Amino acid sequence: MNRRRCKIDITGIVQGVGFRPFVHNLAQRLALNGSVSNTSEGVRVDLQGSVEAIDEFKRSLVTASPPLAKPTIVSVDNLELDRDVNTFVIRDSSVGQKKKMSVTPDAATCQDCLKELFDPSDRRWKYPFINCTNCGPRYTIINDIPYDRPNTTMRDFVMCDQCRKEYSDPCDRRFHAQPIACADCGPQIQLLDSNGNLLVTDNPLEATIQLLQQGRILALKGLGGFHLAVRADNDAGLKQLRERKYRKAKSFAIMALDVETAGCLANVDATAGRLLKSIERPVVLCPKKYDSDLSELAAPASGYWGIMLPYTPLHYLIMQGDYPALVMTSGNITDEPIESDNVGALEKLGRIADYFLTHNRGIYTACDDSVVKVFLSKSMLVRRARGYVPAPLSFTRRDQMDILAVGAHLKNTITYVKGDKAYVSQHIGDLDSAAVYESFLRTIEKLGALTGSEPQIVVCDLHPALLSTGFAEKYQNVKIIRVQHHHAHIAAVMGEYNLEGPILGLAADGVGYGCDGTVWGGELFCVWRDRFERKGHLQQSSMPGGDQASRQPWRMAVSCLFQTYGFVKGKALAQQIIVGVDQGKIAAVMDMLDKNVNCPTSSSLGRFFDAVSALLGICRENTYDAQAAIELENVADPSVTEHYPVEIAVKDCMTVLMIEPLVEALIGDLQSGVGRSIIAAKVHNFVVAGLAEQAGILAEELDLSTVALAGGVFQNDIILTRLVEALEIKGLTVYYNRKLPVNDGSISFGQAVVADAKANQ
Ligand code: ZN
Ligand code: ZN
Ligand code: FE
């Protein structure tokens, strides 16, 4: 027989995902001898046997690998046959290896484990922490690499004999499953009241289900932190939750038992169904069905339910209760990160939850649920966190230095780049709060350790006064690179699709610090990876009160009226149209505008939507980010195709989309009694037509045929759908982020793309 020996090096996600046992079993099945071991780069297989078997091995290695593994064969080298080898063994990780990323995201409970969970004859029947090499906690429980039990929050639990046996048996599906546990040796749940007193019950799980059925609010400790849970069909419970959480209107996510149940609550298409069941188990935004039993209080003023399926064994057990769905919202207090430790949760959430179902498996890294939506039949990330992080994005390098990018001020994420991989962190939050800033610092430290990064380049925003900028500037002996917010937005798209410039970039969002010190947010650029030229923008207007104008859309409405009609007529119109706001306040803002005191200039499309939303009386105060724009979108009648007049001015070689003609036409409609849903639609269509027209002019002038769209405004489905269509009609190829959010969650990645290109300048 023709025998051969070879060495196969494999990289990709191959550690801590049951890859070596898989290799072991595959080799045995094919009667191959040799060994498999972890290396700093991945896994190495030393193999000998028949040529046919080795070929089959190489094929199956990629096609039949375990669900969490993503192997890539990097090299196959022939070696001299070794006659003494006649078994196949798994070698231990060699100590002293170079640090290497080998942590995978947390994975939803697999089918095999579920079967055992609900099998009364199984020794892990109803055990809330059942897991295996194919599923269970990863990123959230690990504090250092390599991914071994002593480096996880499972280190305090000593394996019982049976678990140890499974853990040590290469043929067992729990071979080297680091979080392996059973009721005899693993974590346990506890039911507490809101003061932290233990409730006496022999079945805390059953008691929890009872309480939920009765409509009580429970804080449930999950994978990445606590959830606040209440029946999604219970008005009273939801009203209470909203009051206690000071969350007036923002939608809550819900958990449904399975795809069939989800399909009764919302329109779940094939893509949504696939996402709901995916191993990442994100919250999936699905169009509501209005004939379900769910309370409108769970997601008022939204046409979507954010639905997720259970992803831990504990969730599966809790979802056996008699309710159509549970609201499961992040267990945090306003503007703070999700609570993840038992003491902190009791302290912070004791006022909100009636009871706590907690457990003694620690969470090292808090992680919110991820959120995705379906756009043009494909998935699009809205918030990237649990289930996706820390899986890297591929990164085409020009330079090889390690990079740390500290991201945007709002919806902050951070990114490390090492080798040809970019590690984008979980959604951290808005850095306004001290608690979020601490979580930002912790994430930089932890993800740095897990990736073994030693940044030689640190990237931050151009804005000198941001906390993140101050943080970056404290680094010694590194190159500090400052990147303009919207340049980073477009670069994030270039990075995701591996585009080289120049391309046309269209960045639209709430607020970004511009190169001229004004607020930008409705921008058209010619973009290279390392630089950009501003070529157009939305007509500027004033933001009376600065940041206050972002929280109070009515201020932007006053500003637009002042700009269009001047002081006297503007004031009269404002006091007539903007009802529900104190007349004195309106007058004061008019004075501010007239005297140009504390009125920064902005070309932000986000602020423009705020103004319109307030003019239509839809939303005058934002209780959460982009509320005014979201509610405006919900009101807009999608059947309307008409738009307000588009007027493009050319000033200093820049195209400017004028808003004054729109304001005049809109006020005219309003005064002649045209419905809000029609006006809102005409505004959306104006933005689409205006941006498309500007893009068309610039594409021709600059001879560009590729355009990237980025920024929070493109979370608006009406805008994105219609603009993509309009641009494609003009013959342009359109790109926008899908693997990363189009909002500021992608800024850190975009900053890294720019920094890499600028590394040697
Ligand atoms: Zn499993
Ligand atoms: Zn055990
Ligand atoms: Fe932005």
Short mmCIF file of all heavy atoms in Angstrom, two decimals, residues 706-760:
data_model
loop_
_atom_site.label_atom_id
_atom_site.label_comp_id
_atom_site.label_asym_id
_atom_site.label_seq_id
_atom_site.Cartn_x
_atom_site.Cartn_y
_atom_site.Cartn_z
N THR A 706 -18.50 53.90 -7.43
CA THR A 706 -18.78 53.14 -6.22
C THR A 706 -19.13 54.11 -5.10
O THR A 706 -18.45 55.11 -4.91
CB THR A 706 -17.53 52.34 -5.80
OG1 THR A 706 -17.18 51.48 -6.87
CG2 THR A 706 -17.79 51.52 -4.55
N VAL A 707 -20.21 53.80 -4.39
CA VAL A 707 -20.60 54.67 -3.28
C VAL A 707 -20.83 53.84 -2.02
O VAL A 707 -21.38 52.75 -2.07
CB VAL A 707 -21.83 55.53 -3.65
CG1 VAL A 707 -22.98 54.68 -4.12
CG2 VAL A 707 -22.28 56.40 -2.48
N ALA A 708 -20.32 54.35 -0.89
CA ALA A 708 -20.55 53.69 0.40
C ALA A 708 -21.48 54.55 1.23
O ALA A 708 -21.33 55.77 1.28
CB ALA A 708 -19.22 53.50 1.12
N LEU A 709 -22.46 53.90 1.87
CA LEU A 709 -23.39 54.59 2.74
C LEU A 709 -23.10 54.19 4.17
O LEU A 709 -22.94 53.00 4.47
CB LEU A 709 -24.84 54.21 2.41
CG LEU A 709 -25.27 54.29 0.95
CD1 LEU A 709 -26.72 53.83 0.81
CD2 LEU A 709 -25.10 55.71 0.43
N ALA A 710 -23.02 55.15 5.08
CA ALA A 710 -22.77 54.79 6.48
C ALA A 710 -23.33 55.86 7.40
O ALA A 710 -23.51 57.01 7.01
CB ALA A 710 -21.27 54.63 6.71
N GLY A 711 -23.61 55.45 8.63
CA GLY A 711 -24.14 56.36 9.63
C GLY A 711 -25.53 55.93 10.07
O GLY A 711 -26.25 55.24 9.33
N GLY A 712 -25.91 56.35 11.27
CA GLY A 712 -27.15 55.93 11.89
C GLY A 712 -28.40 56.19 11.06
O GLY A 712 -29.39 55.46 11.18
N VAL A 713 -28.37 57.22 10.22
CA VAL A 713 -29.56 57.53 9.40
C VAL A 713 -29.94 56.33 8.53
O VAL A 713 -31.11 56.10 8.25
CB VAL A 713 -29.31 58.79 8.53
CG1 VAL A 713 -30.34 58.91 7.42
CG2 VAL A 713 -29.31 60.04 9.40
N PHE A 714 -28.95 55.52 8.16
CA PHE A 714 -29.24 54.39 7.28
C PHE A 714 -29.82 53.18 8.03
O PHE A 714 -30.04 52.13 7.45
CB PHE A 714 -28.02 54.03 6.44
CG PHE A 714 -27.65 55.16 5.52
CD1 PHE A 714 -26.49 55.90 5.72
CD2 PHE A 714 -28.51 55.54 4.51
CE1 PHE A 714 -26.19 56.97 4.90
CE2 PHE A 714 -28.23 56.62 3.68
CZ PHE A 714 -27.06 57.34 3.89
N GLN A 715 -30.11 53.37 9.32
CA GLN A 715 -30.91 52.38 10.02
C GLN A 715 -32.38 52.57 9.65
O GLN A 715 -33.22 51.73 9.95
CB GLN A 715 -30.74 52.53 11.53
CG GLN A 715 -29.44 51.90 12.00
CD GLN A 715 -29.24 52.09 13.48
OE1 GLN A 715 -28.76 53.11 13.94
NE2 GLN A 715 -29.62 51.10 14.24
N ASN A 716 -32.66 53.70 9.03
CA ASN A 716 -34.00 54.00 8.55
C ASN A 716 -34.23 53.21 7.26
O ASN A 716 -33.58 53.44 6.25
CB ASN A 716 -34.09 55.51 8.30
CG ASN A 716 -35.45 55.96 7.85
OD1 ASN A 716 -36.09 55.33 7.01
ND2 ASN A 716 -35.90 57.08 8.40
N ASP A 717 -35.16 52.26 7.32
CA ASP A 717 -35.38 51.35 6.19
C ASP A 717 -35.91 52.06 4.95
O ASP A 717 -35.56 51.69 3.83
CB ASP A 717 -36.37 50.24 6.57
CG ASP A 717 -35.65 49.11 7.29
OD1 ASP A 717 -34.41 49.12 7.31
OD2 ASP A 717 -36.34 48.22 7.83
N ILE A 718 -36.76 53.07 5.16
CA ILE A 718 -37.31 53.78 4.00
C ILE A 718 -36.16 54.46 3.26
O ILE A 718 -36.03 54.35 2.04
CB ILE A 718 -38.35 54.84 4.43
CG1 ILE A 718 -39.50 54.18 5.19
CG2 ILE A 718 -38.87 55.62 3.22
CD1 ILE A 718 -40.57 55.16 5.66
N ILE A 719 -35.31 55.15 4.02
CA ILE A 719 -34.20 55.88 3.41
C ILE A 719 -33.26 54.90 2.70
O ILE A 719 -32.90 55.08 1.54
CB ILE A 719 -33.40 56.67 4.48
CG1 ILE A 719 -34.29 57.70 5.16
CG2 ILE A 719 -32.15 57.31 3.87
CD1 ILE A 719 -34.58 58.94 4.37
N LEU A 720 -32.86 53.85 3.41
CA LEU A 720 -31.86 52.95 2.83
C LEU A 720 -32.40 52.25 1.58
O LEU A 720 -31.76 52.24 0.54
CB LEU A 720 -31.39 51.93 3.88
CG LEU A 720 -30.22 51.04 3.41
CD1 LEU A 720 -29.00 51.88 3.04
CD2 LEU A 720 -29.83 50.03 4.47
N THR A 721 -33.61 51.69 1.69
CA THR A 721 -34.17 50.97 0.54
C THR A 721 -34.25 51.87 -0.68
O THR A 721 -33.81 51.52 -1.77
CB THR A 721 -35.62 50.51 0.84
OG1 THR A 721 -35.67 50.01 2.16
CG2 THR A 721 -36.10 49.46 -0.12
N ARG A 722 -34.85 53.04 -0.49
CA ARG A 722 -35.10 53.91 -1.64
C ARG A 722 -33.81 54.54 -2.17
O ARG A 722 -33.68 54.75 -3.37
CB ARG A 722 -36.13 54.99 -1.27
CG ARG A 722 -37.47 54.32 -0.97
CD ARG A 722 -38.60 55.27 -0.70
NE ARG A 722 -39.79 54.44 -0.39
CZ ARG A 722 -40.99 54.90 -0.19
NH1 ARG A 722 -41.22 56.20 -0.26
NH2 ARG A 722 -41.99 54.08 0.09
N LEU A 723 -32.87 54.83 -1.27
CA LEU A 723 -31.63 55.45 -1.74
C LEU A 723 -30.79 54.44 -2.52
O LEU A 723 -30.24 54.77 -3.57
CB LEU A 723 -30.83 56.02 -0.55
CG LEU A 723 -29.59 56.80 -0.96
CD1 LEU A 723 -29.92 57.97 -1.88
CD2 LEU A 723 -28.85 57.33 0.27
N VAL A 724 -30.71 53.21 -2.02
CA VAL A 724 -29.95 52.18 -2.73
C VAL A 724 -30.52 52.04 -4.14
O VAL A 724 -29.79 52.02 -5.13
CB VAL A 724 -30.00 50.83 -1.97
CG1 VAL A 724 -29.46 49.70 -2.84
CG2 VAL A 724 -29.20 50.91 -0.67
N GLU A 725 -31.85 51.99 -4.22
CA GLU A 725 -32.51 51.86 -5.51
C GLU A 725 -32.19 53.04 -6.43
O GLU A 725 -31.79 52.86 -7.58
CB GLU A 725 -34.03 51.79 -5.26
CG GLU A 725 -34.81 51.12 -6.34
CD GLU A 725 -36.30 51.14 -5.98
OE1 GLU A 725 -36.68 50.42 -5.03
OE2 GLU A 725 -37.05 51.90 -6.62
N ALA A 726 -32.30 54.25 -5.87
CA ALA A 726 -32.07 55.46 -6.67
C ALA A 726 -30.62 55.53 -7.15
O ALA A 726 -30.35 55.94 -8.28
CB ALA A 726 -32.41 56.70 -5.85
N LEU A 727 -29.69 55.12 -6.31
CA LEU A 727 -28.27 55.18 -6.68
C LEU A 727 -27.95 54.12 -7.73
O LEU A 727 -27.17 54.35 -8.66
CB LEU A 727 -27.37 55.02 -5.46
CG LEU A 727 -27.45 56.15 -4.43
CD1 LEU A 727 -26.70 55.79 -3.15
CD2 LEU A 727 -26.89 57.46 -5.01
N GLU A 728 -28.58 52.96 -7.58
CA GLU A 728 -28.34 51.90 -8.56
C GLU A 728 -28.89 52.28 -9.93
O GLU A 728 -28.30 51.95 -10.96
CB GLU A 728 -28.89 50.56 -8.05
CG GLU A 728 -27.97 49.99 -6.96
CD GLU A 728 -28.47 48.70 -6.32
OE1 GLU A 728 -29.63 48.31 -6.55
OE2 GLU A 728 -27.68 48.11 -5.55
N ILE A 729 -30.01 52.97 -9.91
CA ILE A 729 -30.57 53.45 -11.18
C ILE A 729 -29.58 54.38 -11.87
O ILE A 729 -29.46 54.41 -13.09
CB ILE A 729 -31.94 54.14 -10.95
CG1 ILE A 729 -32.99 53.08 -10.61
CG2 ILE A 729 -32.36 54.97 -12.17
CD1 ILE A 729 -34.32 53.61 -10.17
N LYS A 730 -28.82 55.13 -11.07
CA LYS A 730 -27.81 56.03 -11.63
C LYS A 730 -26.54 55.27 -12.05
O LYS A 730 -25.54 55.88 -12.42
CB LYS A 730 -27.43 57.10 -10.62
CG LYS A 730 -28.52 58.14 -10.40
CD LYS A 730 -28.05 59.24 -9.46
CE LYS A 730 -29.18 60.18 -9.09
NZ LYS A 730 -29.61 61.05 -10.20
N GLY A 731 -26.57 53.95 -11.92
CA GLY A 731 -25.42 53.15 -12.36
C GLY A 731 -24.32 53.03 -11.32
O GLY A 731 -23.22 52.57 -11.61
N LEU A 732 -24.62 53.41 -10.09
CA LEU A 732 -23.60 53.31 -9.04
C LEU A 732 -23.69 51.97 -8.32
O LEU A 732 -24.76 51.40 -8.18
CB LEU A 732 -23.79 54.45 -8.03
CG LEU A 732 -23.56 55.86 -8.58
CD1 LEU A 732 -24.14 56.91 -7.65
CD2 LEU A 732 -22.07 56.09 -8.79
N THR A 733 -22.55 51.47 -7.88
CA THR A 733 -22.52 50.27 -7.06
C THR A 733 -22.51 50.70 -5.60
O THR A 733 -21.69 51.53 -5.20
CB THR A 733 -21.26 49.44 -7.35
OG1 THR A 733 -21.15 49.29 -8.76
CG2 THR A 733 -21.31 48.08 -6.68
N VAL A 734 -23.45 50.18 -4.83
CA VAL A 734 -23.66 50.68 -3.47
C VAL A 734 -23.24 49.67 -2.41
O VAL A 734 -23.57 48.49 -2.51
CB VAL A 734 -25.15 51.03 -3.25
CG1 VAL A 734 -25.33 51.77 -1.94
CG2 VAL A 734 -25.69 51.86 -4.40
N TYR A 735 -22.49 50.14 -1.42
CA TYR A 735 -22.08 49.29 -0.29
C TYR A 735 -22.52 49.93 1.03
O TYR A 735 -22.55 51.15 1.15
CB TYR A 735 -20.56 49.13 -0.26
CG TYR A 735 -19.99 48.35 -1.41
CD1 TYR A 735 -19.55 49.00 -2.56
CD2 TYR A 735 -19.89 46.97 -1.35
CE1 TYR A 735 -19.02 48.29 -3.62
CE2 TYR A 735 -19.37 46.24 -2.41
CZ TYR A 735 -18.94 46.90 -3.54
OH TYR A 735 -18.42 46.19 -4.58
N TYR A 736 -22.83 49.10 2.00
CA TYR A 736 -23.10 49.57 3.36
C TYR A 736 -22.81 48.41 4.30
O TYR A 736 -22.80 47.25 3.89
CB TYR A 736 -24.55 50.05 3.50
CG TYR A 736 -25.55 49.15 2.82
CD1 TYR A 736 -26.10 48.05 3.50
CD2 TYR A 736 -25.89 49.35 1.48
CE1 TYR A 736 -26.97 47.20 2.85
CE2 TYR A 736 -26.76 48.49 0.84
CZ TYR A 736 -27.30 47.42 1.52
OH TYR A 736 -28.15 46.56 0.89
N ASN A 737 -22.55 48.73 5.57
CA ASN A 737 -22.17 47.68 6.52
C ASN A 737 -23.30 46.69 6.78
O ASN A 737 -24.46 47.07 6.89
CB ASN A 737 -21.78 48.30 7.87
CG ASN A 737 -20.49 49.09 7.81
OD1 ASN A 737 -20.47 50.28 8.06
ND2 ASN A 737 -19.41 48.41 7.47
N ARG A 738 -22.93 45.43 6.83
CA ARG A 738 -23.86 44.39 7.25
C ARG A 738 -23.32 43.61 8.45
O ARG A 738 -24.05 43.30 9.38
CB ARG A 738 -24.14 43.42 6.09
CG ARG A 738 -25.12 43.95 5.07
CD ARG A 738 -25.51 42.85 4.10
NE ARG A 738 -26.43 43.31 3.08
CZ ARG A 738 -27.76 43.29 3.22
NH1 ARG A 738 -28.30 42.86 4.34
NH2 ARG A 738 -28.54 43.69 2.24
N LYS A 739 -22.02 43.30 8.40
CA LYS A 739 -21.43 42.53 9.49
C LYS A 739 -21.24 43.40 10.73
O LYS A 739 -21.09 42.89 11.84
CB LYS A 739 -20.07 41.97 9.07
CG LYS A 739 -20.15 40.90 8.01
CD LYS A 739 -18.76 40.38 7.70
CE LYS A 739 -18.80 39.41 6.54
NZ LYS A 739 -17.45 39.19 6.01
N LEU A 740 -21.16 44.68 10.51
CA LEU A 740 -21.07 45.65 11.60
C LEU A 740 -22.27 46.57 11.46
O LEU A 740 -22.81 46.72 10.37
CB LEU A 740 -19.78 46.46 11.48
CG LEU A 740 -18.47 45.71 11.72
CD1 LEU A 740 -17.29 46.59 11.36
CD2 LEU A 740 -18.37 45.25 13.17
N PRO A 741 -22.66 47.22 12.57
CA PRO A 741 -23.79 48.14 12.46
C PRO A 741 -23.45 49.33 11.56
O PRO A 741 -22.28 49.73 11.50
CB PRO A 741 -24.00 48.62 13.90
CG PRO A 741 -23.23 47.69 14.77
CD PRO A 741 -22.14 47.11 13.93
N VAL A 742 -24.44 49.90 10.89
CA VAL A 742 -24.19 51.12 10.11
C VAL A 742 -24.04 52.32 11.05
O VAL A 742 -23.55 53.36 10.66
CB VAL A 742 -25.32 51.44 9.09
CG1 VAL A 742 -25.45 50.35 8.06
CG2 VAL A 742 -26.65 51.70 9.79
N ASN A 743 -24.44 52.13 12.31
CA ASN A 743 -24.33 53.24 13.27
C ASN A 743 -22.91 53.31 13.85
O ASN A 743 -21.99 52.68 13.34
CB ASN A 743 -25.40 53.08 14.36
CG ASN A 743 -25.22 51.79 15.15
OD1 ASN A 743 -24.10 51.40 15.49
ND2 ASN A 743 -26.32 51.12 15.46
N ASP A 744 -22.77 54.07 14.95
CA ASP A 744 -21.43 54.32 15.48
C ASP A 744 -20.73 53.08 16.04
O ASP A 744 -19.55 53.14 16.39
CB ASP A 744 -21.49 55.42 16.55
CG ASP A 744 -21.71 56.80 15.92
OD1 ASP A 744 -21.85 56.86 14.68
OD2 ASP A 744 -21.76 57.78 16.67
N GLY A 745 -21.43 51.96 16.11
CA GLY A 745 -20.81 50.71 16.54
C GLY A 745 -19.67 50.29 15.62
O GLY A 745 -18.80 49.49 16.01
N SER A 746 -19.64 50.82 14.40
CA SER A 746 -18.59 50.42 13.46
C SER A 746 -17.44 51.42 13.41
O SER A 746 -16.47 51.22 12.68
CB SER A 746 -19.19 50.27 12.06
OG SER A 746 -19.69 51.52 11.63
N ILE A 747 -17.55 52.50 14.16
CA ILE A 747 -16.54 53.56 14.08
C ILE A 747 -15.14 53.06 14.45
O ILE A 747 -14.15 53.37 13.78
CB ILE A 747 -16.95 54.77 14.97
CG1 ILE A 747 -18.11 55.52 14.33
CG2 ILE A 747 -15.76 55.73 15.20
CD1 ILE A 747 -17.79 56.29 13.07
N SER A 748 -15.04 52.25 15.50
CA SER A 748 -13.70 51.81 15.92
C SER A 748 -13.04 51.01 14.80
O SER A 748 -11.85 51.16 14.52
CB SER A 748 -13.76 51.00 17.22
OG SER A 748 -14.53 49.84 17.07
N PHE A 749 -13.82 50.17 14.14
CA PHE A 749 -13.28 49.38 13.02
C PHE A 749 -12.82 50.31 11.89
O PHE A 749 -11.73 50.16 11.34
CB PHE A 749 -14.35 48.40 12.53
CG PHE A 749 -13.94 47.56 11.34
CD1 PHE A 749 -13.00 46.55 11.47
CD2 PHE A 749 -14.51 47.79 10.10
CE1 PHE A 749 -12.64 45.78 10.37
CE2 PHE A 749 -14.15 47.03 8.99
CZ PHE A 749 -13.21 46.02 9.14
N GLY A 750 -13.64 51.30 11.58
CA GLY A 750 -13.30 52.26 10.53
C GLY A 750 -12.06 53.07 10.89
O GLY A 750 -11.20 53.31 10.03
N GLN A 751 -11.95 53.44 12.16
CA GLN A 751 -10.75 54.16 12.61
C GLN A 751 -9.51 53.31 12.36
O GLN A 751 -8.46 53.81 11.93
CB GLN A 751 -10.85 54.48 14.11
CG GLN A 751 -11.87 55.56 14.46
CD GLN A 751 -12.05 55.72 15.96
OE1 GLN A 751 -11.75 54.80 16.74
NE2 GLN A 751 -12.54 56.88 16.39
N ALA A 752 -9.64 52.01 12.64
CA ALA A 752 -8.50 51.11 12.46
C ALA A 752 -8.11 51.01 10.98
O ALA A 752 -6.93 50.97 10.64
CB ALA A 752 -8.83 49.73 13.03
N VAL A 753 -9.12 50.99 10.11
CA VAL A 753 -8.84 50.91 8.67
C VAL A 753 -8.04 52.14 8.23
O VAL A 753 -7.03 52.03 7.51
CB VAL A 753 -10.16 50.81 7.86
CG1 VAL A 753 -9.90 50.94 6.36
CG2 VAL A 753 -10.88 49.50 8.16
N VAL A 754 -8.47 53.31 8.68
CA VAL A 754 -7.76 54.54 8.32
C VAL A 754 -6.34 54.53 8.90
O VAL A 754 -5.37 54.84 8.21
CB VAL A 754 -8.54 55.79 8.81
CG1 VAL A 754 -7.75 57.06 8.51
CG2 VAL A 754 -9.92 55.85 8.16
N ALA A 755 -6.24 54.14 10.16
CA ALA A 755 -4.94 54.17 10.83
C ALA A 755 -3.95 53.24 10.15
O ALA A 755 -2.77 53.57 9.98
CB ALA A 755 -5.09 53.79 12.30
N ASP A 756 -4.44 52.08 9.73
CA ASP A 756 -3.55 51.14 9.05
C ASP A 756 -2.99 51.78 7.77
O ASP A 756 -1.80 51.65 7.47
CB ASP A 756 -4.33 49.87 8.72
CG ASP A 756 -3.51 48.92 7.86
OD1 ASP A 756 -2.48 48.44 8.35
OD2 ASP A 756 -3.90 48.71 6.69
N ALA A 757 -3.87 52.48 7.05
CA ALA A 757 -3.43 53.11 5.80
C ALA A 757 -2.48 54.28 6.06
O ALA A 757 -1.64 54.61 5.23
CB ALA A 757 -4.65 53.58 5.01
N LYS A 758 -2.63 54.89 7.24
CA LYS A 758 -1.81 56.06 7.54
C LYS A 758 -0.56 55.71 8.36
O LYS A 758 0.22 56.60 8.71
CB LYS A 758 -2.63 57.06 8.37
CG LYS A 758 -3.64 57.83 7.56
CD LYS A 758 -4.50 58.71 8.45
CE LYS A 758 -3.91 60.10 8.59
NZ LYS A 758 -4.93 61.12 8.90
N ALA A 759 -0.41 54.44 8.66
CA ALA A 759 0.62 54.03 9.62
C ALA A 759 2.00 54.56 9.27
O ALA A 759 2.77 54.94 10.14
CB ALA A 759 0.66 52.51 9.72
N ASN A 760 2.31 54.60 7.99
CA ASN A 760 3.67 55.00 7.63
C ASN A 760 3.77 56.40 7.05
O ASN A 760 4.70 56.72 6.34
CB ASN A 760 4.26 53.97 6.67
CG ASN A 760 4.59 52.70 7.41
OD1 ASN A 760 5.19 52.74 8.48
ND2 ASN A 760 4.14 51.57 6.89
#
